[in-house]
Amino acid sequence: MAVSMVVLASRPQDWTHEQFTSWWRGPHADAARVLPGLIAYRHGAVTKDYDNPEAPGWDGHAVLTFADQAALDAAFASPEWKAATAQTKGMGGRRIILITDEVDLLAGDNHG
């Protein structure tokens, strides 16, 4: 079963949504896409916040997928992980990071 790290983040106060998206899809993606064992990496820029349409609370999300927990643990222990996370130190904004067991709900029997 695949294991994913899901990140929901908001930009630093002095950045625009566009600056944050460009950074996330550019330099930060360049650092993250070389993580050992990474089999999928998706990013979504928030275009609408249904709960707070006048002042969105989040700017984007990413899903980084690994074959299993051992592969994720190996990525966390890697120098590539240290390099990727060093970019985010002290930049401000908010984030939520979740580790999930992921199944494809469009694929056959996946109830367990």
Side-chain angles (χ1 to χ4, degrees):
M1 177 180 306
V3 173
S4 294
M5 182 176 77
V6 179
V7 181
L8 184 64
S10 66
R11 68 186 181 271
Q13 287 185 339
D14 58 341
W15 288 28
T16 66
H17 175 75
E18 292 74 20
Q19 284 174 303
F20 190 56
T21 299
S22 291
W23 167 80
W24 202 339
R25 291 180 176 181
H28 191 56
D30 291 342
R33 71 172 40 100
V34 297
L35 290 170
L38 185 66
I39 58 174
Y41 183 24
R42 297 180 308 283
H43 175 263
V46 172
T47 59
K48 182 172 181 129
D49 182 338
Y50 279 94
D51 293 329
N52 196 6
E54 299 302 317
W58 303 100
D59 289 283
H61 83 281
V63 180
L64 293 84
T65 304
F66 298 83
D68 53 29
Q69 187 64 48
L72 177 60
D73 291 343
F76 282 167
S78 72
E80 293 88 352
W81 175 259
K82 288 179 183 159
T85 58
Q87 293 184 352
T88 64
K89 298 280 189 234
M91 74 183 299
R94 297 178 305 140
R95 71 178 187 191
I96 296 171
I97 298 177
L98 305 168
I99 306 302
T100 67
D101 288 328
E102 189 173 303
V103 297
D104 183 350
L105 296 176
L106 296 178
D109 182 24
N110 49 32
H111 298 286

